[in-house]
Amino acid sequence: MVSSVRQIEARFNGRETHRYDWVFFNNEEFTDEFKAAVSNATGSQCYFERIPEEHWSIPPWIDVTRFDVGRQFMGGIGVGKAWLQSYHHMCRWNAGIFASEKRLADYDWFWRVEPAVQFYCDINYDVFRFMQDNNMAYGFNMAILDDARSFPSLWERTKTFIDRNGDLIDDDADFNWLLHTAEDHDETIRPNTGGEEAVSDGGYNNCQFYSNFEIGSLGFFRSREHRAYFDHLDRSGGFYYERFGDAPVHTLSVSMFLPKSRIWYFRDIGYAHGLCEQCPPHQRQLNLGSLSSNPLPRGIEQEVAVNDVDGDDGRTLIGGQFESFGSKHRRWNMMAEDVERQKGIPGLACGCTVSAIDSNNAKLVPFESKQRKPSDPCIRKFLGDRWLVRKNKMSDLISVAENIASSDSIEYVLDGRDGNPFQ
């Protein structure tokens, strides 16, 4: 965890304009050694909270024997961590309970940070202010497939909820990208069923926002809509009889209760967790082994070092203890203008090799899971439009309309390695 904190501090939170609090949650008391280690890694206020037992235990409506048999079975067929009781508690807590914890009552926004993650790029703007100023409610940086064996009844439970609570669904909600289409072949499970026969299927395609990284509105996760959906799933027993994960639950929730325009793709934040990583297009390479502890953004830091003068109005930027309030304000405005100039994605300096936008699509789906997969990667289905335009691997002379290649041979006109994906 210390490594994750240090990276966030160096890449983002150590700047004077940020310095946001850290809140650590655990189902056990934190040790003094842990508290000291993470407190020394940041100049911000740290809070250490123990999750109440009622938030991290088997609910009274769960049949414990059925749960034990089910988790041993899921573990036996290779569903990741499904045999661990604590993992089921964790998924349930992250899916809905976390936002109601007393320590978070005075906060409006959260950024989920996991242990042993990597942040590859400098983040030269305030992500929370960006979300607030642009009326965003949820931010992610990967959309990938999950193992369908983890939650076989999730979509049926969700459809039941929609049927009973249609008034809660946002008028501009768009969750079509989460549903199977006629193009999604199912040769593995039902060899005699081609994609053309599945026109009216419309089942959940198992795409999800990778929730190990998420920035979001606590107000949304405390809302009537999300609470009702979470309670519906919780009462069904899916967090224990199956392995409902917080990622698909969050994905379905924000897609039902928010217009797509309030969900933001943080392509500019280079991130890695386990098998999954994404590295955005960037202008300058950083040394991964030299995270700066200077609170100024790197571009501003360089200007201060050479006592540079802005050519437009002749004002000098001065950092540190001698920086005036006016200078801080001008510096913030320069950062904000740069965000606007580049349509929300500042010029990046990263310590990673640029990856394709869909390189993580099936990394969490083990070979043993013979599930039906969407014909396009999840992130492309979310972005839509030009990100779905294909080219034929054998010949670029064949038009998109004539492309009948199998999913294994599909190539796309755009791969996300060049420039700003939103321009």
Side-chain angles (χ1 to χ4, degrees), residues 295-347:
L296 293 177
R298 290 175 185 269
I300 303 299
E301 176 186 343
Q302 292 170 351
E303 291 180 278
V304 172
V306 298
N307 198 30
D308 192 17
V309 177
D310 190 306
D312 293 331
D313 58 10
R315 291 175 297 191
T316 302
L317 290 173
I318 302 174
Q321 60 180 325
F322 301 107
E323 181 179 21
S324 67
F325 177 80
S327 180
K328 288 182 181 179
H329 181 69
R330 289 192 295 272
R331 177 156 57 86
W332 172 255
N333 283 341
M334 288 179 62
M335 293 165 61
E337 289 168 4
D338 193 51
V339 172
E340 174 61 26
R341 178 178 63 82
Q342 301 188 52
K343 299 186 184 298
I345 300 183

Side-chain angles (χ1 to χ4, degrees), residues 26-100:
N26 195 10
N27 62 307
E28 299 177 351
E29 292 291 346
F30 287 99
T31 66
D32 291 338
E33 291 78 9
F34 178 86
K35 293 179 181 179
V38 296
S39 297
N40 289 335
T42 174
S44 298
Q45 178 69 53
C46 294
Y47 297 98
F48 302 92
E49 300 296 315
R50 182 172 181 175
I51 299 172
E53 185 176 352
E54 61 271 22
H55 292 174
W56 197 274
S57 58
I58 300 174
W61 57 85
I62 296 297
D63 182 333
V64 176
T65 300
R66 179 182 171 187
F67 168 48
D68 286 338
V69 171
R71 66 191 177 100
Q72 293 303 324
F73 171 77
M74 286 189 289
I77 64 173
V79 177
K81 300 182 181 178
W83 63 92
L84 297 173
Q85 179 172 304
S86 61
Y87 196 79
H88 291 262
H89 294 330
M90 184 274 292
C91 289
R92 178 176 179 252
W93 186 81
N94 277 313
I97 299 174
F98 81 99
S100 65

Side-chain angles (χ1 to χ4, degrees), residues 185 196 390-393 398-410:
H185 291 268
E196 294 180 355
R390 304 174 181 177
K391 63 180 180 180
N392 189 277
K393 195 168 188 177
I398 300 178
S399 71
V400 173
E402 296 172 329
N403 184 1
I404 58 174
S406 70
S407 59
D408 291 336
S409 64
I410 290 174

Side-chain angles (χ1 to χ4, degrees), residues 69-318:
V69 171
R71 66 191 177 100
Q72 293 303 324
F73 171 77
M74 286 189 289
I77 64 173
V79 177
K81 300 182 181 178
W83 63 92
L84 297 173
Q85 179 172 304
S86 61
Y87 196 79
H88 291 262
H89 294 330
M90 184 274 292
C91 289
R92 178 176 179 252
W93 186 81
N94 277 313
I97 299 174
F98 81 99
S100 65
E101 297 293 356
K102 292 181 180 179
R103 172 55 67 184
L104 299 182
D106 295 329
Y107 295 96
D108 297 321
W109 300 93
F110 74 97
W111 180 342
R112 179 171 169 178
V113 180
E114 294 283 324
V117 297
Q118 299 291 325
F119 289 92
Y120 292 136
C121 305
D122 281 354
I123 304 168
N124 295 323
Y125 63 104
D126 188 326
V127 296
F128 300 115
R129 178 166 174 174
F130 171 82
M131 296 284 284
Q132 178 175 296
D133 290 352
N134 290 279
N135 194 32
M136 298 294 170
Y138 187 80
F140 71 99
N141 74 352
M142 291 187 221
I144 60 179
L145 285 170
D146 201 357
D147 187 344
R149 300 172 303 168
S150 302
F151 41 77
S153 73
L154 176 59
W155 180 238
E156 291 301 320
R157 305 287 186 187
T158 299
K159 287 196 297 183
T160 299
F161 176 85
I162 294 172
D163 290 341
R164 296 175 179 174
N165 301 275
D167 59 311
L168 297 182
I169 308 302
D170 190 271
D171 291 339
D172 296 318
D174 176 11
F175 46 91
N176 287 330
W177 71 280
L178 294 172
L179 304 180
H180 279 300
T181 68
E183 295 181 354
D184 300 345
H185 291 268
D186 195 10
E187 298 172 354
T188 304
I189 298 177
R190 295 183 293 273
N192 297 324
T193 303
E196 294 180 355
E197 299 176 6
V199 175
S200 61
D201 186 346
Y204 180 37
N205 61 19
N206 307 308
C207 285
Q208 62 173 15
F209 298 131
Y210 193 44
S211 62
N212 298 92
F213 171 100
E214 56 185 358
I215 297 172
S217 163
L218 285 166
F220 171 79
F221 287 103
R222 297 171 184 138
S223 68
R224 173 193 172 205
E225 294 82 359
H226 181 76
R227 288 298 311 175
Y229 179 52
F230 171 77
D231 289 343
H232 171 77
L233 297 179
D234 197 21
R235 285 286 174 175
S236 77
F239 291 106
Y240 292 94
Y241 300 145
E242 300 174 24
R243 204 213 68 184
F244 285 8
D246 53 276
V249 172
H250 283 192
T251 302
L252 289 164
S253 180
V254 299
S255 297
M256 287 190 293
F257 307 131
L258 293 172
K260 206 171 185 180
S261 60
R262 298 191 65 197
I263 304 171
W264 183 253
Y265 174 36
F266 281 103
R267 170 62 170 160
D268 60 316
I269 297 182
Y271 176 78
H273 182 273
L275 294 174
C276 299
E277 63 178 355
Q278 76 125 358
C279 183
H282 50 275
Q283 298 175 350
R284 185 161 54 87
Q285 193 75 10
L286 292 176
N287 183 349
L288 277 174
S290 59
L291 295 177
S292 171
S293 60
N294 194 308
L296 293 177
R298 290 175 185 269
I300 303 299
E301 176 186 343
Q302 292 170 351
E303 291 180 278
V304 172
V306 298
N307 198 30
D308 192 17
V309 177
D310 190 306
D312 293 331
D313 58 10
R315 291 175 297 191
T316 302
L317 290 173
I318 302 174

